[in-house]
PDB file of all heavy atoms in Angstrom:
ATOM      1  N   ASP A   1     151.165 149.322 128.099  1.00 97.00           N
ATOM      2  CA  ASP A   1     150.432 149.554 126.852  1.00 97.00           C
ATOM      3  C   ASP A   1     149.037 150.128 127.061  1.00 97.00           C
ATOM      4  O   ASP A   1     148.414 150.591 126.100  1.00 97.00           O
ATOM      5  CB  ASP A   1     150.308 148.236 126.065  1.00 97.00           C
ATOM      6  CG  ASP A   1     151.603 147.852 125.354  1.00 97.00           C
ATOM      7  OD1 ASP A   1     152.527 148.700 125.310  1.00 97.00           O
ATOM      8  OD2 ASP A   1     151.700 146.725 124.853  1.00 97.00           O
ATOM      9  N   GLU A   2     148.517 150.079 128.292  1.00 97.00           N
ATOM     10  CA  GLU A   2     147.166 150.575 128.554  1.00 97.00           C
ATOM     11  C   GLU A   2     147.098 152.088 128.272  1.00 97.00           C
ATOM     12  O   GLU A   2     147.807 152.876 128.890  1.00 97.00           O
ATOM     13  CB  GLU A   2     146.786 150.307 130.023  1.00 97.00           C
ATOM     14  CG  GLU A   2     145.500 150.936 130.476  1.00 97.00           C
ATOM     15  CD  GLU A   2     144.304 150.572 129.621  1.00 97.00           C
ATOM     16  OE1 GLU A   2     144.024 149.360 129.473  1.00 97.00           O
ATOM     17  OE2 GLU A   2     143.665 151.511 129.090  1.00 97.00           O
ATOM     18  N   PRO A   3     146.226 152.531 127.336  1.00 96.00           N
ATOM     19  CA  PRO A   3     146.178 153.951 126.966  1.00 96.00           C
ATOM     20  C   PRO A   3     145.468 154.836 127.978  1.00 96.00           C
ATOM     21  O   PRO A   3     145.695 156.042 128.002  1.00 96.00           O
ATOM     22  CB  PRO A   3     145.429 153.944 125.633  1.00 96.00           C
ATOM     23  CG  PRO A   3     144.566 152.722 125.691  1.00 96.00           C
ATOM     24  CD  PRO A   3     145.353 151.703 126.457  1.00 96.00           C
ATOM     25  N   ASP A   4     144.605 154.258 128.809  1.00 95.00           N
ATOM     26  CA  ASP A   4     143.871 155.050 129.795  1.00 95.00           C
ATOM     27  C   ASP A   4     144.758 155.254 131.028  1.00 95.00           C
ATOM     28  O   ASP A   4     145.234 154.295 131.636  1.00 95.00           O
ATOM     29  CB  ASP A   4     142.578 154.338 130.178  1.00 95.00           C
ATOM     30  CG  ASP A   4     141.742 155.139 131.155  1.00 95.00           C
ATOM     31  OD1 ASP A   4     141.965 154.996 132.370  1.00 95.00           O
ATOM     32  OD2 ASP A   4     140.888 155.929 130.701  1.00 95.00           O
ATOM     33  N   ALA A   5     144.978 156.517 131.420  1.00 94.00           N
ATOM     34  CA  ALA A   5     145.906 156.831 132.512  1.00 94.00           C
ATOM     35  C   ALA A   5     145.493 156.174 133.819  1.00 94.00           C
ATOM     36  O   ALA A   5     146.326 155.612 134.533  1.00 94.00           O
ATOM     37  CB  ALA A   5     146.009 158.345 132.688  1.00 94.00           C
ATOM     38  N   ALA A   6     144.207 156.249 134.154  1.00 95.00           N
ATOM     39  CA  ALA A   6     143.736 155.692 135.422  1.00 95.00           C
ATOM     40  C   ALA A   6     143.851 154.169 135.431  1.00 95.00           C
ATOM     41  O   ALA A   6     144.276 153.569 136.426  1.00 95.00           O
ATOM     42  CB  ALA A   6     142.303 156.121 135.686  1.00 95.00           C
ATOM     43  N   LYS A   7     143.473 153.534 134.326  1.00 96.00           N
ATOM     44  CA  LYS A   7     143.554 152.081 134.246  1.00 96.00           C
ATOM     45  C   LYS A   7     145.010 151.613 134.273  1.00 96.00           C
ATOM     46  O   LYS A   7     145.346 150.603 134.887  1.00 96.00           O
ATOM     47  CB  LYS A   7     142.851 151.577 132.992  1.00 96.00           C
ATOM     48  CG  LYS A   7     141.336 151.738 133.015  1.00 96.00           C
ATOM     49  CD  LYS A   7     140.709 151.211 131.732  1.00 96.00           C
ATOM     50  CE  LYS A   7     139.185 151.365 131.748  1.00 96.00           C
ATOM     51  NZ  LYS A   7     138.580 150.892 130.469  1.00 96.00           N
ATOM     52  N   SER A   8     145.875 152.364 133.598  1.00 96.00           N
ATOM     53  CA  SER A   8     147.287 152.020 133.607  1.00 96.00           C
ATOM     54  C   SER A   8     147.868 152.144 135.008  1.00 96.00           C
ATOM     55  O   SER A   8     148.615 151.269 135.470  1.00 96.00           O
ATOM     56  CB  SER A   8     148.056 152.926 132.644  1.00 96.00           C
ATOM     57  OG  SER A   8     149.441 152.702 132.736  1.00 96.00           O
ATOM     58  N   ALA A   9     147.523 153.236 135.703  1.00 96.00           N
ATOM     59  CA  ALA A   9     148.018 153.424 137.073  1.00 96.00           C
ATOM     60  C   ALA A   9     147.569 152.287 137.968  1.00 96.00           C
ATOM     61  O   ALA A   9     148.339 151.788 138.798  1.00 96.00           O
ATOM     62  CB  ALA A   9     147.533 154.755 137.625  1.00 96.00           C
ATOM     63  N   LYS A  10     146.315 151.845 137.807  1.00 96.00           N
ATOM     64  CA  LYS A  10     145.818 150.730 138.611  1.00 96.00           C
ATOM     65  C   LYS A  10     146.581 149.447 138.297  1.00 96.00           C
ATOM     66  O   LYS A  10     146.910 148.663 139.198  1.00 96.00           O
ATOM     67  CB  LYS A  10     144.327 150.510 138.372  1.00 96.00           C
ATOM     68  CG  LYS A  10     143.740 149.371 139.220  1.00 96.00           C
ATOM     69  CD  LYS A  10     142.276 149.144 138.931  1.00 96.00           C
ATOM     70  CE  LYS A  10     141.710 148.044 139.851  1.00 96.00           C
ATOM     71  NZ  LYS A  10     142.460 146.780 139.744  1.00 96.00           N
ATOM     72  N   ALA A  11     146.879 149.240 137.016  1.00 97.00           N
ATOM     73  CA  ALA A  11     147.614 148.026 136.635  1.00 97.00           C
ATOM     74  C   ALA A  11     149.023 148.029 137.233  1.00 97.00           C
ATOM     75  O   ALA A  11     149.498 147.001 137.730  1.00 97.00           O
ATOM     76  CB  ALA A  11     147.677 147.916 135.113  1.00 97.00           C
ATOM     77  N   TRP A  12     149.688 149.192 137.205  1.00 97.00           N
ATOM     78  CA  TRP A  12     150.999 149.277 137.840  1.00 97.00           C
ATOM     79  C   TRP A  12     150.876 149.086 139.350  1.00 97.00           C
ATOM     80  O   TRP A  12     151.718 148.431 139.975  1.00 97.00           O
ATOM     81  CB  TRP A  12     151.655 150.631 137.554  1.00 97.00           C
ATOM     82  CG  TRP A  12     152.237 150.805 136.189  1.00 97.00           C
ATOM     83  CD1 TRP A  12     151.849 151.705 135.237  1.00 97.00           C
ATOM     84  CD2 TRP A  12     153.333 150.079 135.611  1.00 97.00           C
ATOM     85  NE1 TRP A  12     152.617 151.594 134.101  1.00 97.00           N
ATOM     86  CE2 TRP A  12     153.548 150.603 134.310  1.00 97.00           C
ATOM     87  CE3 TRP A  12     154.153 149.045 136.062  1.00 97.00           C
ATOM     88  CZ2 TRP A  12     154.557 150.119 133.470  1.00 97.00           C
ATOM     89  CZ3 TRP A  12     155.147 148.564 135.224  1.00 97.00           C
ATOM     90  CH2 TRP A  12     155.342 149.099 133.946  1.00 97.00           C
ATOM     91  N   ARG A  13     149.805 149.652 139.923  1.00 97.00           N
ATOM     92  CA  ARG A  13     149.607 149.535 141.376  1.00 97.00           C
ATOM     93  C   ARG A  13     149.329 148.092 141.775  1.00 97.00           C
ATOM     94  O   ARG A  13     149.740 147.640 142.855  1.00 97.00           O
ATOM     95  CB  ARG A  13     148.461 150.446 141.811  1.00 97.00           C
ATOM     96  CG  ARG A  13     148.317 150.582 143.319  1.00 97.00           C
ATOM     97  CD  ARG A  13     147.564 151.848 143.710  1.00 97.00           C
ATOM     98  NE  ARG A  13     146.329 152.027 142.984  1.00 97.00           N
ATOM     99  CZ  ARG A  13     146.120 152.974 142.073  1.00 97.00           C
ATOM    100  NH1 ARG A  13     147.074 153.843 141.775  1.00 97.00           N
ATOM    101  NH2 ARG A  13     144.962 153.080 141.457  1.00 97.00           N
ATOM    102  N   ASP A  14     148.635 147.352 140.921  1.00 96.00           N
ATOM    103  CA  ASP A  14     148.395 145.931 141.202  1.00 96.00           C
ATOM    104  C   ASP A  14     149.717 145.165 141.292  1.00 96.00           C
ATOM    105  O   ASP A  14     149.821 144.171 142.017  1.00 96.00           O
ATOM    106  CB  ASP A  14     147.511 145.314 140.120  1.00 96.00           C
ATOM    107  CG  ASP A  14     146.056 145.759 140.220  1.00 96.00           C
ATOM    108  OD1 ASP A  14     145.670 146.294 141.286  1.00 96.00           O
ATOM    109  OD2 ASP A  14     145.315 145.594 139.229  1.00 96.00           O
ATOM    110  N   LEU A  15     150.719 145.640 140.561  1.00 96.00           N
ATOM    111  CA  LEU A  15     152.045 145.013 140.605  1.00 96.00           C
ATOM    112  C   LEU A  15     152.842 145.457 141.825  1.00 96.00           C
ATOM    113  O   LEU A  15     153.353 144.627 142.582  1.00 96.00           O
ATOM    114  CB  LEU A  15     152.827 145.382 139.343  1.00 96.00           C
ATOM    115  CG  LEU A  15     152.772 144.431 138.157  1.00 96.00           C
ATOM    116  CD1 LEU A  15     153.394 145.095 136.937  1.00 96.00           C
ATOM    117  CD2 LEU A  15     153.478 143.121 138.464  1.00 96.00           C
ATOM    118  N   PHE A  16     152.934 146.771 142.014  1.00 96.00           N
ATOM    119  CA  PHE A  16     153.852 147.316 143.017  1.00 96.00           C
ATOM    120  C   PHE A  16     153.197 147.627 144.358  1.00 96.00           C
ATOM    121  O   PHE A  16     153.899 147.947 145.311  1.00 96.00           O
ATOM    122  CB  PHE A  16     154.520 148.582 142.470  1.00 96.00           C
ATOM    123  CG  PHE A  16     155.561 148.304 141.430  1.00 96.00           C
ATOM    124  CD1 PHE A  16     155.327 148.585 140.090  1.00 96.00           C
ATOM    125  CD2 PHE A  16     156.773 147.753 141.782  1.00 96.00           C
ATOM    126  CE1 PHE A  16     156.291 148.333 139.129  1.00 96.00           C
ATOM    127  CE2 PHE A  16     157.749 147.496 140.831  1.00 96.00           C
ATOM    128  CZ  PHE A  16     157.510 147.780 139.500  1.00 96.00           C
ATOM    129  N   GLY A  17     151.885 147.543 144.439  1.00 94.00           N
ATOM    130  CA  GLY A  17     151.219 147.791 145.704  1.00 94.00           C
ATOM    131  C   GLY A  17     150.673 149.202 145.820  1.00 94.00           C
ATOM    132  O   GLY A  17     150.860 150.054 144.948  1.00 94.00           O
ATOM    133  N   ASP A  18     150.003 149.464 146.924  1.00 94.00           N
ATOM    134  CA  ASP A  18     149.276 150.721 147.106  1.00 94.00           C
ATOM    135  C   ASP A  18     150.178 151.941 147.167  1.00 94.00           C
ATOM    136  O   ASP A  18     149.713 153.074 146.978  1.00 94.00           O
ATOM    137  CB  ASP A  18     148.425 150.659 148.387  1.00 94.00           C
ATOM    138  CG  ASP A  18     147.272 149.677 148.262  1.00 94.00           C
ATOM    139  OD1 ASP A  18     146.904 149.347 147.114  1.00 94.00           O
ATOM    140  OD2 ASP A  18     146.752 149.228 149.307  1.00 94.00           O
ATOM    141  N   LYS A  19     151.459 151.758 147.429  1.00 95.00           N
ATOM    142  CA  LYS A  19     152.361 152.907 147.482  1.00 95.00           C
ATOM    143  C   LYS A  19     152.663 153.470 146.102  1.00 95.00           C
ATOM    144  O   LYS A  19     153.188 154.590 145.984  1.00 95.00           O
ATOM    145  CB  LYS A  19     153.662 152.518 148.189  1.00 95.00           C
ATOM    146  CG  LYS A  19     153.485 152.205 149.669  1.00 95.00           C
ATOM    147  CD  LYS A  19     154.801 151.809 150.329  1.00 95.00           C
ATOM    148  CE  LYS A  19     154.606 151.465 151.787  1.00 95.00           C
ATOM    149  NZ  LYS A  19     155.884 151.024 152.425  1.00 95.00           N
ATOM    150  N   PHE A  20     152.354 152.716 145.070  1.00 96.00           N
ATOM    151  CA  PHE A  20     152.498 153.227 143.705  1.00 96.00           C
ATOM    152  C   PHE A  20     151.231 153.990 143.373  1.00 96.00           C
ATOM    153  O   PHE A  20     150.196 153.401 143.075  1.00 96.00           O
ATOM    154  CB  PHE A  20     152.723 152.087 142.707  1.00 96.00           C
ATOM    155  CG  PHE A  20     153.107 152.567 141.332  1.00 96.00           C
ATOM    156  CD1 PHE A  20     154.448 152.665 140.983  1.00 96.00           C
ATOM    157  CD2 PHE A  20     152.149 152.942 140.414  1.00 96.00           C
ATOM    158  CE1 PHE A  20     154.818 153.118 139.723  1.00 96.00           C
ATOM    159  CE2 PHE A  20     152.507 153.405 139.151  1.00 96.00           C
ATOM    160  CZ  PHE A  20     153.848 153.488 138.804  1.00 96.00           C
ATOM    161  N   ASN A  21     151.302 155.307 143.421  1.00 95.00           N
ATOM    162  CA  ASN A  21     150.082 156.117 143.339  1.00 95.00           C
ATOM    163  C   ASN A  21     150.329 157.398 142.551  1.00 95.00           C
ATOM    164  O   ASN A  21     150.487 158.475 143.123  1.00 95.00           O
ATOM    165  CB  ASN A  21     149.590 156.448 144.752  1.00 95.00           C
ATOM    166  CG  ASN A  21     148.199 157.015 144.765  1.00 95.00           C
ATOM    167  OD1 ASN A  21     147.413 156.785 143.861  1.00 95.00           O
ATOM    168  ND2 ASN A  21     147.896 157.776 145.797  1.00 95.00           N
ATOM    169  N   PRO A  22     150.340 157.319 141.207  1.00 94.00           N
ATOM    170  CA  PRO A  22     150.553 158.523 140.398  1.00 94.00           C
ATOM    171  C   PRO A  22     149.437 159.537 140.622  1.00 94.00           C
ATOM    172  O   PRO A  22     148.310 159.171 140.989  1.00 94.00           O
ATOM    173  CB  PRO A  22     150.513 157.987 138.959  1.00 94.00           C
ATOM    174  CG  PRO A  22     150.726 156.530 139.066  1.00 94.00           C
ATOM    175  CD  PRO A  22     150.162 156.116 140.382  1.00 94.00           C
ATOM    176  N   PRO A  23     149.711 160.816 140.415  1.00 89.00           N
ATOM    177  CA  PRO A  23     148.669 161.841 140.545  1.00 89.00           C
ATOM    178  C   PRO A  23     147.475 161.516 139.663  1.00 89.00           C
ATOM    179  O   PRO A  23     147.633 161.120 138.505  1.00 89.00           O
ATOM    180  CB  PRO A  23     149.368 163.125 140.080  1.00 89.00           C
ATOM    181  CG  PRO A  23     150.816 162.861 140.299  1.00 89.00           C
ATOM    182  CD  PRO A  23     151.016 161.392 140.058  1.00 89.00           C
ATOM    183  N   ALA A  24     146.286 161.645 140.214  1.00 77.00           N
ATOM    184  CA  ALA A  24     145.064 161.280 139.486  1.00 77.00           C
ATOM    185  C   ALA A  24     144.832 162.219 138.318  1.00 77.00           C
ATOM    186  O   ALA A  24     145.091 163.414 138.388  1.00 77.00           O
ATOM    187  CB  ALA A  24     143.864 161.316 140.430  1.00 77.00           C
ATOM    188  N   GLY A  25     144.368 161.633 137.234  1.00 55.00           N
ATOM    189  CA  GLY A  25     143.896 162.437 136.117  1.00 55.00           C
ATOM    190  C   GLY A  25     144.968 163.003 135.224  1.00 55.00           C
ATOM    191  O   GLY A  25     144.707 163.882 134.424  1.00 55.00           O
ATOM    192  N   ARG A  26     146.201 162.513 135.339  1.00 52.00           N
ATOM    193  CA  ARG A  26     147.248 163.015 134.472  1.00 52.00           C
ATOM    194  C   ARG A  26     148.218 161.901 134.117  1.00 52.00           C
ATOM    195  O   ARG A  26     148.381 160.933 134.838  1.00 52.00           O
ATOM    196  CB  ARG A  26     148.013 164.166 135.116  1.00 52.00           C
ATOM    197  CG  ARG A  26     148.669 163.807 136.418  1.00 52.00           C
ATOM    198  CD  ARG A  26     149.563 164.903 136.935  1.00 52.00           C
ATOM    199  NE  ARG A  26     150.771 164.991 136.135  1.00 52.00           N
ATOM    200  CZ  ARG A  26     151.900 165.576 136.576  1.00 52.00           C
ATOM    201  NH1 ARG A  26     151.934 166.109 137.772  1.00 52.00           N
ATOM    202  NH2 ARG A  26     152.976 165.613 135.816  1.00 52.00           N
ATOM    203  N   SER A  27     148.837 162.046 132.993  1.00 50.00           N
ATOM    204  CA  SER A  27     149.905 161.133 132.586  1.00 50.00           C
ATOM    205  C   SER A  27     151.002 161.953 131.951  1.00 50.00           C
ATOM    206  O   SER A  27     150.733 162.888 131.206  1.00 50.00           O
ATOM    207  CB  SER A  27     149.385 160.085 131.602  1.00 50.00           C
ATOM    208  OG  SER A  27     150.455 159.316 131.099  1.00 50.00           O
ATOM    209  N   ASP A  28     152.229 161.635 132.238  1.00 53.00           N
ATOM    210  CA  ASP A  28     153.347 162.409 131.718  1.00 53.00           C
ATOM    211  C   ASP A  28     154.025 161.710 130.558  1.00 53.00           C
ATOM    212  O   ASP A  28     155.148 162.015 130.212  1.00 53.00           O
ATOM    213  CB  ASP A  28     154.365 162.683 132.828  1.00 53.00           C
ATOM    214  CG  ASP A  28     154.792 161.418 133.544  1.00 53.00           C
ATOM    215  OD1 ASP A  28     154.684 160.337 132.936  1.00 53.00           O
ATOM    216  OD2 ASP A  28     155.213 161.511 134.691  1.00 53.00           O
ATOM    217  N   SER A  29     153.355 160.740 129.964  1.00 46.00           N
ATOM    218  CA  SER A  29     154.003 159.977 128.910  1.00 46.00           C
ATOM    219  C   SER A  29     153.102 159.855 127.708  1.00 46.00           C
ATOM    220  O   SER A  29     151.880 159.961 127.782  1.00 46.00           O
ATOM    221  CB  SER A  29     154.367 158.580 129.418  1.00 46.00           C
ATOM    222  OG  SER A  29     153.204 157.881 129.775  1.00 46.00           O
ATOM    223  N   SER A  30     153.715 159.609 126.587  1.00 44.00           N
ATOM    224  CA  SER A  30     152.972 159.309 125.368  1.00 44.00           C
ATOM    225  C   SER A  30     152.796 157.808 125.263  1.00 44.00           C
ATOM    226  O   SER A  30     153.265 157.055 126.098  1.00 44.00           O
ATOM    227  CB  SER A  30     153.752 159.835 124.159  1.00 44.00           C
ATOM    228  OG  SER A  30     155.017 159.225 124.094  1.00 44.00           O
ATOM    229  N   ARG A  31     152.156 157.372 124.192  1.00 46.00           N
ATOM    230  CA  ARG A  31     152.025 155.931 123.985  1.00 46.00           C
ATOM    231  C   ARG A  31     153.388 155.327 123.702  1.00 46.00           C
ATOM    232  O   ARG A  31     154.296 155.997 123.228  1.00 46.00           O
ATOM    233  CB  ARG A  31     151.062 155.652 122.823  1.00 46.00           C
ATOM    234  CG  ARG A  31     149.629 156.010 123.135  1.00 46.00           C
ATOM    235  CD  ARG A  31     148.745 155.773 121.923  1.00 46.00           C
ATOM    236  NE  ARG A  31     148.714 154.367 121.568  1.00 46.00           N
ATOM    237  CZ  ARG A  31     147.887 153.477 122.118  1.00 46.00           C
ATOM    238  NH1 ARG A  31     147.069 153.840 123.079  1.00 46.00           N
ATOM    239  NH2 ARG A  31     147.904 152.229 121.725  1.00 46.00           N
ATOM    240  N   PRO A  32     153.568 154.051 124.022  1.00 44.00           N
ATOM    241  CA  PRO A  32     154.874 153.425 123.824  1.00 44.00           C
ATOM    242  C   PRO A  32     155.328 153.497 122.378  1.00 44.00           C
ATOM    243  O   PRO A  32     154.523 153.477 121.459  1.00 44.00           O
ATOM    244  CB  PRO A  32     154.642 151.970 124.242  1.00 44.00           C
ATOM    245  CG  PRO A  32     153.395 151.993 125.060  1.00 44.00           C
ATOM    246  CD  PRO A  32     152.581 153.131 124.569  1.00 44.00           C
ATOM    247  N   SER A  33     156.634 153.611 122.195  1.00 43.00           N
ATOM    248  CA  SER A  33     157.174 153.631 120.848  1.00 43.00           C
ATOM    249  C   SER A  33     157.080 152.250 120.222  1.00 43.00           C
ATOM    250  O   SER A  33     156.932 151.241 120.898  1.00 43.00           O
ATOM    251  CB  SER A  33     158.648 154.054 120.897  1.00 43.00           C
ATOM    252  OG  SER A  33     159.411 153.059 121.531  1.00 43.00           O
ATOM    253  N   SER A  34     157.190 152.206 118.895  1.00 38.00           N
ATOM    254  CA  SER A  34     157.116 150.911 118.221  1.00 38.00           C
ATOM    255  C   SER A  34     158.261 150.013 118.637  1.00 38.00           C
ATOM    256  O   SER A  34     158.107 148.808 118.769  1.00 38.00           O
ATOM    257  CB  SER A  34     157.134 151.117 116.696  1.00 38.00           C
ATOM    258  OG  SER A  34     158.316 151.795 116.310  1.00 38.00           O
ATOM    259  N   ALA A  35     159.426 150.600 118.872  1.00 40.00           N
ATOM    260  CA  ALA A  35     160.564 149.776 119.307  1.00 40.00           C
ATOM    261  C   ALA A  35     160.289 149.138 120.647  1.00 40.00           C
ATOM    262  O   ALA A  35     160.590 147.970 120.872  1.00 40.00           O
ATOM    263  CB  ALA A  35     161.830 150.633 119.383  1.00 40.00           C
ATOM    264  N   ALA A  36     159.692 149.904 121.555  1.00 48.00           N
ATOM    265  CA  ALA A  36     159.386 149.354 122.863  1.00 48.00           C
ATOM    266  C   ALA A  36     158.348 148.261 122.757  1.00 48.00           C
ATOM    267  O   ALA A  36     158.399 147.254 123.449  1.00 48.00           O
ATOM    268  CB  ALA A  36     158.891 150.456 123.796  1.00 48.00           C
ATOM    269  N   ARG A  37     157.365 148.453 121.880  1.00 39.00           N
ATOM    270  CA  ARG A  37     156.323 147.440 121.716  1.00 39.00           C
ATOM    271  C   ARG A  37     156.915 146.139 121.169  1.00 39.00           C
ATOM    272  O   ARG A  37     156.630 145.061 121.666  1.00 39.00           O
ATOM    273  CB  ARG A  37     155.256 147.933 120.734  1.00 39.00           C
ATOM    274  CG  ARG A  37     154.313 148.965 121.297  1.00 39.00           C
ATOM    275  CD  ARG A  37     153.352 149.394 120.205  1.00 39.00           C
ATOM    276  NE  ARG A  37     152.403 150.340 120.728  1.00 39.00           N
ATOM    277  CZ  ARG A  37     151.276 150.010 121.371  1.00 39.00           C
ATOM    278  NH1 ARG A  37     151.024 148.744 121.598  1.00 39.00           N
ATOM    279  NH2 ARG A  37     150.454 150.919 121.817  1.00 39.00           N
ATOM    280  N   LEU A  38     157.743 146.234 120.140  1.00 42.00           N
ATOM    281  CA  LEU A  38     158.269 145.034 119.518  1.00 42.00           C
ATOM    282  C   LEU A  38     159.129 144.233 120.470  1.00 42.00           C
ATOM    283  O   LEU A  38     159.175 143.015 120.408  1.00 42.00           O
ATOM    284  CB  LEU A  38     159.088 145.406 118.276  1.00 42.00           C
ATOM    285  CG  LEU A  38     158.267 145.856 117.057  1.00 42.00           C
ATOM    286  CD1 LEU A  38     159.210 146.318 115.958  1.00 42.00           C
ATOM    287  CD2 LEU A  38     157.364 144.745 116.556  1.00 42.00           C
ATOM    288  N   SER A  39     159.800 144.905 121.382  1.00 43.00           N
ATOM    289  CA  SER A  39     160.674 144.175 122.302  1.00 43.00           C
ATOM    290  C   SER A  39     159.895 143.402 123.333  1.00 43.00           C
ATOM    291  O   SER A  39     160.444 142.566 124.023  1.00 43.00           O
ATOM    292  CB  SER A  39     161.608 145.153 123.015  1.00 43.00           C
ATOM    293  OG  SER A  39     160.877 145.946 123.916  1.00 43.00           O
ATOM    294  N   GLY A  40     158.603 143.658 123.443  1.00 39.00           N
ATOM    295  CA  GLY A  40     157.859 143.009 124.504  1.00 39.00           C
ATOM    296  C   GLY A  40     156.564 142.386 124.055  1.00 39.00           C
ATOM    297  O   GLY A  40     155.573 142.413 124.768  1.00 39.00           O
ATOM    298  N   LEU A  41     156.524 141.816 122.839  1.00 35.00           N
ATOM    299  CA  LEU A  41     155.313 141.147 122.386  1.00 35.00           C
ATOM    300  C   LEU A  41     154.967 140.006 123.318  1.00 35.00           C
ATOM    301  O   LEU A  41     155.835 139.349 123.855  1.00 35.00           O
ATOM    302  CB  LEU A  41     155.521 140.597 120.966  1.00 35.00           C
ATOM    303  CG  LEU A  41     155.580 141.664 119.858  1.00 35.00           C
ATOM    304  CD1 LEU A  41     156.023 141.020 118.561  1.00 35.00           C
ATOM    305  CD2 LEU A  41     154.235 142.341 119.683  1.00 35.00           C
ATOM    306  N   THR A  42     153.702 139.781 123.534  1.00 33.00           N
ATOM    307  CA  THR A  42     153.273 138.744 124.459  1.00 33.00           C
ATOM    308  C   THR A  42     153.621 137.369 123.925  1.00 33.00           C
ATOM    309  O   THR A  42     153.861 137.177 122.738  1.00 33.00           O
ATOM    310  CB  THR A  42     151.758 138.835 124.677  1.00 33.00           C
ATOM    311  OG1 THR A  42     151.109 138.777 123.406  1.00 33.00           O
ATOM    312  CG2 THR A  42     151.401 140.143 125.353  1.00 33.00           C
ATOM    313  N   ALA A  43     153.644 136.403 124.820  1.00 33.00           N
ATOM    314  CA  ALA A  43     153.988 135.035 124.456  1.00 33.00           C
ATOM    315  C   ALA A  43     153.055 134.532 123.373  1.00 33.00           C
ATOM    316  O   ALA A  43     151.848 134.740 123.397  1.00 33.00           O
ATOM    317  CB  ALA A  43     153.888 134.129 125.682  1.00 33.00           C
ATOM    318  N   GLY A  44     153.639 133.864 122.369  1.00 32.00           N
ATOM    319  CA  GLY A  44     152.841 133.323 121.284  1.00 32.00           C
ATOM    320  C   GLY A  44     152.874 134.186 120.052  1.00 32.00           C
ATOM    321  O   GLY A  44     152.589 133.733 118.960  1.00 32.00           O
ATOM    322  N   ALA A  45     153.200 135.488 120.190  1.00 33.00           N
ATOM    323  CA  ALA A  45     153.307 136.354 119.036  1.00 33.00           C
ATOM    324  C   ALA A  45     154.612 136.070 118.325  1.00 33.00           C
ATOM    325  O   ALA A  45     155.589 135.642 118.915  1.00 33.00           O
ATOM    326  CB  ALA A  45     153.256 137.812 119.461  1.00 33.00           C
ATOM    327  N   VAL A  46     154.654 136.316 117.015  1.00 31.00           N
ATOM    328  CA  VAL A  46     155.829 136.029 116.220  1.00 31.00           C
ATOM    329  C   VAL A  46     156.279 137.305 115.536  1.00 31.00           C
ATOM    330  O   VAL A  46     155.506 137.959 114.860  1.00 31.00           O
ATOM    331  CB  VAL A  46     155.540 134.941 115.165  1.00 31.00           C
ATOM    332  CG1 VAL A  46     156.780 134.682 114.332  1.00 31.00           C
ATOM    333  CG2 VAL A  46     155.058 133.662 115.832  1.00 31.00           C
ATOM    334  N   ALA A  47     157.524 137.672 115.735  1.00 32.00           N
ATOM    335  CA  ALA A  47     158.100 138.825 115.063  1.00 32.00           C
ATOM    336  C   ALA A  47     159.601 138.677 115.059  1.00 32.00           C
ATOM    337  O   ALA A  47     160.178 138.102 115.965  1.00 32.00           O
ATOM    338  CB  ALA A  47     157.710 140.123 115.783  1.00 32.00           C
ATOM    339  N   PRO A  48     160.274 139.185 114.011  1.00 32.00           N
ATOM    340  CA  PRO A  48     161.726 139.048 113.954  1.00 32.00           C
ATOM    341  C   PRO A  48     162.418 139.643 115.168  1.00 32.00           C
ATOM    342  O   PRO A  48     163.440 139.151 115.595  1.00 32.00           O
ATOM    343  CB  PRO A  48     162.091 139.826 112.665  1.00 32.00           C
ATOM    344  CG  PRO A  48     160.852 139.789 111.825  1.00 32.00           C
ATOM    345  CD  PRO A  48     159.716 139.818 112.805  1.00 32.00           C
TER     346      PRO A  48
END
């Protein structure tokens, strides 16, 4: 969900390690779709 490409890459890298290294300064994706967001609401959120 992180909209900043560099911050998002770092967050993924924190999970998968230093070998996860997307090209700097670019992102090949748009923001997540609403369907994708609803399927992964954080704990404590309420939605059908």
Side-chain angles (χ1 to χ4, degrees):
D1 283 350
E2 172 55 57
D4 183 272
K7 291 180 180 178
S8 174
K10 181 182 183 304
W12 284 117
R13 190 158 49 249
D14 287 344
L15 266 170
F16 286 107
D18 291 340
K19 293 179 182 178
F20 190 94
N21 192 24
R26 59 172 288 200
S27 173
D28 52 24
S29 62
S30 60
R31 291 177 64 85
S33 68
S34 59
R37 285 178 178 276
L38 286 175
S39 70
L41 288 170
T42 55
V46 179

